[in-house]
Amino acid sequence: MDFSYTILIPLIPLALFIVLGIFSKKIPPSISGWIGSLGLGTSFVLSWYTAYTYFLEGKLNGVYQTFIYKNTWLNFTDKLHIDMGVLIDPISVMMLVVVSTISFMVHLYSRGYMKGDDGYTRFFSYLALFSFSMFGLVLATNLFQIYIFWELVGASSFLLIGYYYTKPSAVAAAKKAFIVTRFADLGFLIGILVVSYYAGTFDFQEINNLQGSIITNWAATSFMGLSVFTWGLILIYMGGIGKSAMLPFHIWLPDAMEGPTPVSALIHAATMVVAGVYLVARLFPAYYFVEDGFALQIVAYIGAISSLVAAVIAITQTDIKRVLAFSTMSQIGYMMLALGVSKYDGHEGLGFMASMFHLFTHAMFKALLFLGAGSVIHAIHSNEMGDMGGLRKYMPITHITFLIAALSIAGFPGFAGFFSKDEILAAAFENNMLIYISSVFVAGLTAFYMFRLYFGIFWGQEKQYKHTPHESPWSMTIPMVFLAFMSIAGGYFHFSEYVTADHIPFKSHLDLPLAAIATSVGLVGIILAFVFYKKENNLPERFAHAFGVFYKWTYHKFYFDELYIFITKKVLFGVVGFSAAWFDKHIVDGSMIGIGNVTVSISNKIKGLQSGKFQDYAMSFIGGGVVIAMVIFYLWIN
């Protein structure tokens, strides 16, 4: 079985980026959109063909095999080297399907959404660069290769968030995302260096080898009470926290909504933000077996806390894209906590399977939610819920597809999100009751804020629009209809037969009592949203007033931005920076200036010795001769 052709999947968008980037001023927009879409369509077909072939024929003795095609790029020692290549296994194949599907749908959608934009061709070149970077990330064979594409993803994200570069808020958002993730990626890089130094390899296969040096000999070297490998894995996860917008590196994600809405659907719903989840899944054997899964417990609790905090904040936001941004953060927290509570073998690895399952289904319905939001924004030219209402009459396709996505994320029975979320809750119930209770509560909050959004946009009081809203063109609605179909059908894949921690399929079944609890909580959330927002009333204002300070804190996102600004300006700049500047000016510069002044003073005193006058030199010569003669005479007579 040969999967070497998969190298074409990332190379096609790379070629698109080069061609569209170089000739962006010469290629007409009507052509560049089709070039980008057809190129990603090719990668889309190749990715689905790879998945079909691999999951049909990739098993040997009941175990899915790993196929690696690589070449050595850099040699450091006989053992330590960096390879470049592709790795084909269940999670990389699944991610190829996710990335190619969402990217292709976004390319098709963007043909309508970005029509008439001055930078139309440039936009498609940026999309192609991002797609290339994301494909390279999921196919990486080793830590250093994934880090290279990790940074390329960050760079292309910077370009797309700051696409409207004449808009100060977009420029600020792009810089914020880039700088915040730099701090996280520093931890990632240090973690890579720690693991590779002690393990002697960057290779995923060797790091995850159950008989390898890391898993069998993790206790050989310790630091501050933990194995150095545990520290390395925690630092690597730090990179995942930043890229997946988990606490405390989540502050960039809401601001990233300044980019065009298709960018939000591609990057901040289904691809880049799940890179942290994919990273932990890629190294899952190491996370689970090293130091009895200590680092994995950190993954679980950060995921659970991030999920809860983001869901609470989403309830109070009024910008529809920011509601979806915090929803994304919350759902990624679900995926993280599922990995954190998972074990490794067979059905005990339910959490791992559930995390990957939810990653897949979430990509479909969250991308659809963003595209639906983009369709609404395209029609009324506003992001604010207060400017919307009664749009179901004008935008029937957007209305129905958005409703399907909302039902899916709310975990309504029969929709994709119901099945994947149920598996996560079952895994949490079996392994950590505190996280399970928190996750059920988050499920209710999710249903509430999503239907708050749905009723606020499509029902409520109909506004007096300046221009009569209309349905989006077919180039935008066709991707939405396809994603709506996947938001239902995606839940009916028997995921446990394809993607598992140990590559061995197992049978999973719907846990009816747990599903009933989660569904009931979700229905309560939907009913509350119906009562509050189906028709305009004063209930939201009354409850906001009743919650007082807590509502204010949630509306202001618990003041994380203000806290970081305080730390940056008052502590780092005001104390650390001021002290460093004073030391540099008065100690470093002062000592150098002092040495220079002393040198000048001494030179002023002795410069007369070399005046340039012949008579001074003659007098010095004669005087020196007389002194030498007197010394010699004295020594001679004694």
Side-chain angles (χ1 to χ4, degrees):
M1 192 178 300
D2 185 13
F3 290 101
S4 58
Y5 67 86
T6 52
I7 191 66
L8 294 174
I9 295 174
L11 289 182
I12 290 171
L14 175 61
L16 290 174
F17 165 68
I18 294 171
V19 171
L20 295 177
I22 292 175
F23 301 105
S24 62
K25 298 295 185 183
K26 297 181 179 179
I27 301 176
S30 58
I31 297 176
S32 62
W34 277 113
I35 292 174
S37 299
L38 289 173
L40 261 295
T42 307
S43 292
F44 167 77
V45 171
L46 287 173
S47 297
W48 277 91
Y49 172 75
T50 301
Y52 176 78
T53 306
Y54 179 81
F55 289 122
L56 192 67
E57 304 174 6
K59 281 189 287 189
L60 180 64
N61 298 324
V63 180
Y64 282 109
Q65 300 301 293
T66 299
F67 300 89
I68 300 176
Y69 307 90
K70 63 182 180 181
N71 289 298
T72 299
W73 181 40
L74 291 175
N75 273 312
F76 294 109
T77 66
D78 293 338
K79 291 176 60 180
L80 190 60
H81 50 84
I82 299 176
D83 300 327
M84 298 295 283
V86 297
L87 186 156
I88 301 297
D89 74 347
I91 60 171
S92 66
V93 171
M94 183 271 295
M95 285 297 293
L96 282 179
V97 170
V98 169
V99 175
S100 63
T101 301
I102 303 304
S103 185
F104 181 45
M105 293 300 113
V106 167
H107 273 74
L108 292 176
Y109 181 92
S110 297
R111 290 184 57 256
Y113 188 89
M114 300 300 291
K115 186 176 181 180
D117 189 272
D118 292 338
Y120 188 88
T121 303
R122 175 171 58 89
F123 178 77
F124 276 91
S125 72
Y126 289 170
L127 285 183
L129 174 62
F130 176 83
S131 299
F132 159 69
S133 306
M134 198 66 207
F135 282 132
L137 188 153
V138 302
L139 290 171
T141 64
N142 59 78
L143 279 170
F144 225 98
Q145 184 183 348
I146 203 173
Y147 185 76
I148 291 169
F149 285 101
W150 191 273
E151 295 306 318
L152 271 174
V153 165
S156 49
S157 170
F158 172 82
L159 293 172
L160 286 165
I161 295 169
Y163 173 76
Y164 297 120
Y165 57 84
T166 58
K167 188 178 176 184
S169 58
V171 174
K175 291 191 292 186
K176 183 177 183 179
F178 194 75
I179 292 169
V180 170
T181 52
R182 292 290 67 72
F183 283 97
D185 291 353
L186 174 62
F188 186 13
L189 179 59
I190 295 171
I192 290 173
L193 297 176
V194 169
V195 169
S196 62
Y197 178 80
Y198 286 97
T201 183
F202 295 112
D203 192 83
F204 287 134
Q205 289 298 98
E206 295 183 39
I207 293 172
N208 289 329
N209 185 356
L210 301 189
Q211 284 75 45
S213 61
I214 290 185
I215 291 177
T216 60
N217 199 30
W218 58 261
T221 310
S222 62
F223 175 72
M224 293 180 65
L226 291 175
S227 160
V228 291
F229 288 124
T230 301
W231 283 114
L233 292 172
I234 292 171
L235 287 166
I236 287 172
Y237 179 54
M238 184 176 169
I241 292 172
K243 201 68 81 183
S244 292
M246 296 286 94
L247 286 168
F249 294 119
H250 67 289
I251 59 170
W252 65 268
L253 184 58
D255 290 34
M257 299 301 108
E258 291 290 342
T261 303
V263 170
S264 301
L266 176 63
I267 297 180
H268 310 122
T271 55
M272 187 185 85
V273 288
V274 298
V277 180
Y278 176 75
L279 180 64
V280 176
R282 172 56 65 204
L283 293 169
F284 186 77
Y287 274 97
Y288 179 71
F289 287 106
V290 171
E291 203 141 342
D292 299 321
F294 181 87
L296 205 57
Q297 294 179 41
I298 295 176
V299 172
Y301 282 104
I302 288 180
I305 294 169
S306 299
S307 180
L308 177 59
V309 169
V312 170
I313 294 174
I315 290 174
T316 61
Q317 301 305 297
T318 57
D319 182 314
I320 62 174
K321 287 176 68 177
R322 278 174 165 74
V323 173
L324 295 178
F326 282 107
S327 171
T328 300
M329 176 182 167
S330 181
Q331 295 301 304
I332 292 171
Y334 255 35
M335 301 172 206
M336 289 290 192
L337 72 87
L339 286 172
V341 301
S342 181
K343 293 182 170 56
Y344 184 75
D345 297 307
H347 192 274
E348 290 188 335
L350 178 64
F352 180 95
M353 184 280 293
S355 178
M356 297 298 98
F357 191 12
H358 198 58
L359 188 157
F360 180 84
T361 59
H362 174 265
M364 304 304 162
F365 58 68
K366 184 53 66 64
L368 174 55
L369 287 168
F370 270 109
L371 295 186
S375 181
V376 170
I377 294 167
H378 187 262
I380 68 167
H381 308 290
S382 174
N383 291 25
E384 286 294 321
M385 285 177 60
D387 298 332
M388 304 170 188
L391 286 173
R392 70 190 184 282
K393 301 175 183 177
Y394 307 100
M395 309 178 73
I397 298 175
T398 301
H399 168 232
I400 295 300
T401 54
F402 195 96
L403 175 60
I404 289 170
L407 288 168
S408 190
I409 193 174
F412 195 82
F415 292 80
F418 166 77
F419 297 101
S420 57
K421 189 176 291 187
D422 177 74
E423 301 286 15
I424 290 176
L425 294 175
F429 180 80
E430 292 174 4
N431 295 285
N432 191 309
M433 187 54 64
L434 178 62
I435 288 179
Y436 167 74
I437 293 170
S438 170
S439 300
V440 170
F441 181 55
V442 169
L445 295 177
T446 301
F448 176 76
Y449 69 66
M450 281 312 310
F451 276 85
R452 168 182 177 260
L453 195 62
Y454 165 72
F455 288 124
I457 295 172
F458 296 104
W459 295 82
Q461 182 179 2
E462 186 173 336
K463 301 297 189 292
Q464 296 297 317
Y465 298 107
K466 189 174 181 181
H467 302 287
T468 303
H470 57 83
E471 186 58 89
S472 299
W474 67 268
S475 58
M476 295 169 64
T477 54
I478 286 179
M480 291 162 60
V481 170
F482 176 81
L483 290 173
F485 168 74
M486 291 300 295
S487 297
I488 300 172
Y492 293 90
F493 289 110
H494 297 291
F495 232 71
S496 62
E497 296 180 11
Y498 304 110
V499 181
T500 60
D502 58 1
H503 294 193
I504 301 174
F506 66 86
K507 294 287 184 181
S508 66
H509 303 283
L510 188 68
D511 190 317
L512 289 177
L514 295 180
I517 293 171
T519 301
S520 300
V521 172
L523 285 174
V524 169
I526 294 173
I527 292 168
L528 285 174
F530 178 87
V531 172
F532 275 66
Y533 299 101
K534 170 68 164 53
K535 294 181 179 179
E536 189 165 356
N537 57 68
N538 65 348
L539 278 176
E541 290 77 13
R542 285 167 55 191
F543 271 79
H545 181 74
F547 278 96
V549 174
F550 182 73
Y551 176 85
K552 183 179 178 182
W553 274 68
T554 55
Y555 180 77
H556 290 283
K557 297 164 282 190
F558 293 108
Y559 294 98
F560 275 103
D561 286 281
E562 289 77 4
L563 174 63
Y564 286 168
I565 290 172
F566 172 80
I567 292 172
T568 302
K569 290 188 174 181
K570 298 296 184 180
V571 179
L572 293 181
F573 293 165
V575 177
V576 178
F578 177 81
S579 301
W582 184 92
F583 182 83
D584 181 64
K585 182 178 180 179
H586 293 89
I587 305 300
V588 178
D589 287 355
S591 60
M592 295 299 102
I593 293 171
I595 292 171
N597 290 338
V598 170
T599 303
V600 170
S601 177
I602 295 172
S603 66
N604 284 333
K605 290 182 171 55
I606 65 173
K607 65 183 180 181
L609 296 175
Q610 297 204 9
S611 63
K613 297 178 180 179
F614 177 76
Q615 57 269 36
D616 290 343
Y617 296 153
M619 181 63 72
S620 298
F621 178 78
I622 294 170
V626 170
V627 170
I628 292 171
M630 291 176 65
V631 171
I632 293 173
F633 179 73
Y634 175 78
L635 294 173
W636 181 67
I637 63 175
N638 287 291

